[in-house]
């Protein structure tokens, strides 16, 4: 009952590491845009998370700005949402430290993102990479978030945030934080590489042909889709026919997500046709959505003063919003009276 009457508070972050691609757009960013009209939104560039792995200090701020431009180009409106970078809001680092007393080693050890990123060399990783999910918890809990829009791969981190909030309430004081829910898009949560239907589309894939970037030209987009890996069979006319055809399924999924229809509908229209006719239709659809975003992105990137001003203003709104929760956390732990 209370859940439905409470206004939604939506919090999400994105790391400012390199360019945005189609997978980020479909999996997260366009939901950011829709959600702006459904509640109070806080969207931030996770620059404090970016330093948990090797980075180039001279490039970090420019990358943060560029990611802000990308979000705005996709439709995030800094007048509707609070848009900022973590580093300008010290409460994120402070609350992370306070929550380090509640998070358990065992919980963090089980995080699959930690295991994937650390690989065989966990001893050589930064402590920050290990406690990355605790900083993520601080990001969300500071603003009393009710909902956290993320991709499927972040589900486990949101579970951890809930565990930390519940343990804190149990150990120290009830109701300091709101226990948030993940918001995972039903369609398009997992956009795969154009070269390998079993690997996620990712900015860290060495092959640029594997992804469509926000900065790609119309020709790049068309040629990447034309060369996307497929199989020789025509498209099936129902979902069962996509079984075992990861690459075909990915392209159909991208089409459905961008056209706002279901995969079944796409197959109803294209079933029986070969990729020779499906790929150009898909390329047209991607271009129709990406071309205006790309143009706006380039314009915005040229105005660094304006981008900085947006981030400074967002940070001041974020600091104000974060203050009360941070103060209550210090009190609950007995650090201040
Ligand atoms: N870890 C997230 C990712 O890799 C980024 C992130 C950092 C985040 N802090 C967050 C997402 C808080 C949601 C809420 O995508």
């Amino acid at each position: 009952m209370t859940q439905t009457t409470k206004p939604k508070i939506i919090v999400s972050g994105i790391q400012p590491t390199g360019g945005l691609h189609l997978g980020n757009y479909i999996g997260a960013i366009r939901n950011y845009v829709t959600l702006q009209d459904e509640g109070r939104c806080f969207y931030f560039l996770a620059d404090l998370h970016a330093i948990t792995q090797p980075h180039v200090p001279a490039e970090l701020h420019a990358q943060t700005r560029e990611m802000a431009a990308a979000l705005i180009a996709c439709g995030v409106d800094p007048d509707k949402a609070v848009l900022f970078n973590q580093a300008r809001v010290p409460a994120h680092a402070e609350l992370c430290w306070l929550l380090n007393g509640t998070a358990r080693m065992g919980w963090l050890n089980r995080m699959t993102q930690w295991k994937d990123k650390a690989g065989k060399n966990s001893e050589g990783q930064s402590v920050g990479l290990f406690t990355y999910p605790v900083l993520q918890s601080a990001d969300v809990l500071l603003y009393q978030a009710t909902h956290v829009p993320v991709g499927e791969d972040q589900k486990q981190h949101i579970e951890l945030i809930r565990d930390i909030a519940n343990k804190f309430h149990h150990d120290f004081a009830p109701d300091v934080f709101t226990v948030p829910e993940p918001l995972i898009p039903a369609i398009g949560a997992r956009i795969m590489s154009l070269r390998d239907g079993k690997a996620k589309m990712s900015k860290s894939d060495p092959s640029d042909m594997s992804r469509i970037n926000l900065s790609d030209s119309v020709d790049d987009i068309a040629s990447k889709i034309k060369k996307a890996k497929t199989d020789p069979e025509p498209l099936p006319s129902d979902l069962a026919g996509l079984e075992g055809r990861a690459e075909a399924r990915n392209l159909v999924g991208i089409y459905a997500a961008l056209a706002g229809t279901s995969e079944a509908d796409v197959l109803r229209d294209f079933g029986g046709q070969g990729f020779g006719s499906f790929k150009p239709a898909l390329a047209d659809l991607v271009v129709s959505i990406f071309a205006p975003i790309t143009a706006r992105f380039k314009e915005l990137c040229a105005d660094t003063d304006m981008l900085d001003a947006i981030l400074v203003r967002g940070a001041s709104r974020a600091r104000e919003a974060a203050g009360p929760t941070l103060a209550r956390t210090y009190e609950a732990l007995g650090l201040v009276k």
Side-chain angles (χ1 to χ4, degrees):
M1 285 295 273
T2 47
Q3 276 296 330
T4 51
T5 50
K6 232 162 104 183
K8 279 188 191 166
I9 300 178
I10 293 146
V11 175
S12 193
I14 186 160
Q15 279 207 51
T17 40
L20 212 69
H21 56 72
L22 185 68
N24 307 129
Y25 176 73
I26 294 176
I29 314 304
R30 59 179 196 151
N31 298 324
Y32 286 11
V33 178
T34 320
L35 289 166
Q36 291 181 125
D37 298 314
E38 292 178 22
R40 181 147 200 235
C41 295
F42 295 86
Y43 299 137
F44 59 88
L45 297 316
D47 50 4
L48 293 179
H49 279 108
I51 64 164
T52 61
Q53 285 192 295
H55 78 289
V56 183
E59 288 170 9
L60 183 54
H61 189 65
Q63 286 175 337
T64 299
R65 242 194 233 128
E66 189 184 311
M67 194 56 98
L71 294 182
I72 299 168
C74 289
V76 169
D77 178 350
D79 288 327
K80 286 188 187 166
V82 179
L83 178 64
F84 64 101
N85 58 312
Q86 272 172 327
R88 283 200 173 95
V89 184
H92 289 248
E94 281 183 71
L95 185 61
C96 174
W97 181 254
L98 301 183
L99 298 177
N100 272 335
T102 296
R104 304 286 100 177
M105 294 288 288
W107 299 354
L108 295 178
N109 253 325
R110 281 194 287 276
M111 293 295 116
T112 57
Q113 185 168 302
W114 154 252
K115 288 192 253 184
D116 289 349
K117 285 190 177 173
K120 289 197 170 62
N121 183 24
S122 61
E123 293 287 303
Q125 301 301 326
S126 73
V127 173
L129 188 67
F130 186 67
T131 64
Y132 177 117
V134 184
L135 178 58
Q136 185 165 348
S137 305
D139 297 339
V140 168
L141 298 176
L142 262 182
Y143 301 100
Q144 303 290 333
T146 57
H147 296 88
V148 186
V150 281
E152 180 76 34
D153 64 325
Q154 292 296 308
K155 215 169 157 179
Q156 197 187 27
H157 284 173
I158 310 302
E159 246 342 284
L160 180 91
I161 299 174
R162 296 169 57 88
D163 289 344
I164 290 179
N166 286 325
K167 181 166 169 59
F168 189 97
H169 291 157
H170 175 267
D171 291 355
F172 304 113
D175 301 329
V176 174
F177 305 116
T178 300
V179 181
E181 303 282 344
L183 276 183
I184 296 171
I187 288 193
R190 274 179 84 75
I191 300 298
M192 313 307 282
S193 154
L194 298 178
R195 308 300 309 164
D196 174 359
K198 294 197 173 65
K200 229 181 113 169
M201 185 177 286
S202 158
K203 51 200 158 203
S204 51
D205 192 316
S207 166
D208 194 56
M209 294 304 283
S210 70
R211 64 187 160 260
I212 293 171
N213 304 301
L214 198 57
S215 51
D216 283 346
S217 68
V218 170
D219 290 346
D220 290 336
I221 295 176
S223 104
K224 285 180 179 181
I225 291 179
K226 193 168 166 206
K227 292 185 185 142
K229 187 175 167 204
T230 45
D231 54 46
E233 303 297 319
L235 282 169
S237 34
D238 58 23
L239 284 176
L242 287 176
E243 205 59 45
R245 299 177 65 186
E247 283 81 14
R249 147 153 284 160
N250 186 37
L251 296 187
V252 170
I254 293 173
Y255 194 104
L258 292 179
T261 57
S262 67
E263 296 175 350
D265 280 337
V266 176
L267 294 178
R268 210 163 295 139
D269 290 344
F270 288 95
Q273 298 188 31
F275 287 100
S277 52
F278 180 66
K279 281 180 168 180
L282 177 61
D284 286 349
L285 180 61
V286 173
V287 166
S288 73
I289 289 172
F290 256 43
I293 295 178
T294 304
R296 178 104 181 92
F297 172 64
K298 291 199 170 131
E299 260 170 48
L300 287 162
C301 283
D303 199 343
T304 52
D305 287 350
M306 184 200 53
L307 291 170
D308 283 338
I310 288 173
L311 293 176
V312 165
R313 183 169 62 105
S316 116
R317 294 163 73 195
R319 281 196 297 271
E320 202 180 307
T325 301
L326 185 65
R328 273 161 63 203
T329 313
Y330 273 102
E331 278 167 31
L333 291 168
L335 291 161
V336 293
K337 266 183 80 74

